[in-house]
């Protein structure tokens, strides 16, 4: 009976560690994508080093979980007490670090406020200057999500007018104009009227609300995934200790 329990514990631990291995691979992939993001989206919040720190923490956590999942699987199948003890101590440290990161993310969530993005937009945006990464990225976001500024076209009132060839002293950036297809190749509904400030040819809704609504589901999904990863790590530690004590 004791041998059957030990065998069951061994395979349960292998299963949980395999899930940790997959979770680490996912975190590693997301972390790499954020760090080398070719669209330049991260340039929008370049002034906030906390976000970049979070990306590298995610990258490091993914790599460690990937390695630990592999070690845990080996330790369980081979019934190696040294590997199991190493696995338990290491995953305990990661578990505590992830809890700390979650608490810090909750505390510093106010750094992603509407006011923060509005201030950065008014300070750094250079309209259709595609040689500037910040401006080019904002233009891509506004075109992709069919939105304008953080709160709406009024965000650009303090931005110096850009001399478009066909419209003198345009009041709205070209990226805010309605298009038949929401991409850079899409034809404008009425470009000149939009640039002059005719509202019915502009995207009036702010990007903050549009993007928040678009990603709201994914935020809850990410939170549920994080809770799931923590629960799996907790069970893996319990199984590791039980298996460690059961091995003769």
């Amino acid at each position: 009976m004791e041998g059957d329990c030990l065998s069951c514990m061994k395979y349960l631990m292998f299963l949980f560690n395999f899930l940790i291995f997959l979770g680490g691979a996912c975190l590693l992939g997301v972390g790499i994508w954020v760090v080398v993001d070719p669209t330049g989206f991260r340039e929008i919040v370049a002034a906030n080093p906390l976000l970049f720190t979070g990306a590298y923490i995610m990258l490091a956590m993914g790599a460690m979980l990937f390695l630990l999942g592999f070690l845990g699987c080996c330790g369980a199948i081979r019934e190696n007490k040294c590997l199991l003890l190493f696995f338990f101590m290491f995953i305990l440290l990661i578990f505590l670090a992830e809890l700390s990161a979650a608490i810090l993310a909750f505390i510093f969530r106010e750094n992603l406020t509407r006011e923060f993005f509005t201030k950065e937009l008014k300070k750094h945006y250079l309209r259709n200057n595609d040689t500037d990464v910040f401006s080019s990225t904002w233009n891509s976001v506004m075109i992709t999500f069919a939105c304008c500024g953080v709160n709406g076209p009024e965000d650009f009132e303090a931005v110096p007018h850009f001399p478009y060839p066909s419209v003198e002293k345009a009041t709205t950036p070209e990226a805010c104009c309605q298009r038949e297809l929401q991409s850079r190749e899409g034809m404008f509904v009425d470009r000149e009227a939009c640039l002059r400030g005719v509202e019915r040819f502009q995207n009036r809704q702010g990007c903050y609300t549009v993007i928040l609504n678009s990603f709201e589901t994914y935020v809850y999904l990410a939170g549920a995934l994080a809770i799931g990863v923590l629960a799996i790590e907790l069970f893996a530690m319990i199984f590791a200790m039980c298996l460690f004590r059961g091995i003769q």
Side-chain angles (χ1 to χ4, degrees):
M1 187 68 179
E2 185 178 346
D4 291 339
C5 288
L6 187 63
S7 179
C8 180
M9 196 72 66
K10 179 173 72 173
Y11 289 112
L12 280 173
M13 185 181 170
F14 177 85
L15 175 62
F16 276 105
N17 278 283
F18 183 69
L19 292 174
I20 289 173
F21 176 82
L22 292 180
C26 291
L27 279 178
L28 190 62
V30 172
I32 292 173
W33 176 78
V34 170
V35 171
V36 300
D37 178 19
T39 63
F41 185 77
R42 65 191 181 124
E43 297 295 337
I44 294 177
V45 289
N48 191 341
L50 183 66
L51 298 176
F52 292 105
T53 303
Y56 284 107
I57 288 175
M58 182 185 297
L59 192 62
M61 287 295 177
M64 285 190 290
L65 286 175
F66 183 85
L67 176 62
L68 277 176
F70 177 76
L71 290 176
C73 288
C74 291
I77 292 298
R78 298 182 62 184
E79 299 184 8
N80 187 307
K81 295 185 75 169
C82 183
L83 276 178
L84 288 172
L85 185 60
F86 173 76
F87 168 82
F88 176 83
M89 296 301 296
F90 209 172
I91 204 168
L92 178 61
L93 291 175
I94 290 180
F95 182 82
L96 295 175
E98 286 175 342
L99 276 180
S100 302
I103 293 169
L104 286 174
F106 180 79
I107 293 173
F108 290 103
R109 68 190 187 282
E110 64 271 9
N111 287 316
L112 298 178
T113 60
R114 185 187 298 267
E115 291 72 23
F116 168 78
F117 287 114
T118 302
K119 181 181 71 175
E120 292 300 308
L121 178 68
K122 291 181 177 180
K123 182 178 179 181
H124 299 293
Y125 186 71
L126 301 175
R127 291 192 180 269
N128 274 27
N129 186 348
D130 283 336
T131 60
D132 176 67
V133 176
F134 185 92
S135 304
S136 176
T137 303
W138 259 110
N139 289 335
S140 296
V141 169
M142 291 190 290
I143 292 171
T144 301
F145 289 94
C147 56
C148 188
V150 178
N151 308 288
E154 63 273 11
D155 289 343
F156 299 101
E157 292 175 357
V159 179
H161 293 295
F162 190 87
Y164 291 100
S166 57
V167 180
E168 186 178 353
K169 292 184 178 180
T171 59
T172 306
E174 195 177 78
C176 287
C177 296
Q178 291 183 7
R179 300 169 184 252
E180 294 178 2
L181 178 66
Q182 288 307 132
S183 69
R184 286 186 178 272
E185 293 73 31
M187 296 293 293
F188 293 101
V189 177
D190 192 327
R191 177 178 174 276
E192 284 70 25
C194 166
L195 296 177
R196 292 193 188 96
V198 180
E199 294 186 3
R200 65 193 182 94
F201 297 112
Q202 298 174 345
N203 295 315
R204 303 292 301 175
Q205 193 169 14
C207 293
Y208 188 88
T209 301
V210 172
I211 294 176
L212 195 64
N213 292 338
S214 299
F215 287 99
E216 186 176 13
T217 303
Y218 299 103
V219 168
Y220 290 120
L221 182 62
L225 182 62
I227 293 172
V229 168
L230 289 175
I232 289 171
E233 289 172 358
L234 185 61
F235 279 112
M237 286 189 290
I238 294 172
F239 287 137
M241 273 296 94
C242 291
L243 190 58
F244 178 84
R245 290 169 61 87
I247 295 174
Q248 300 300 324

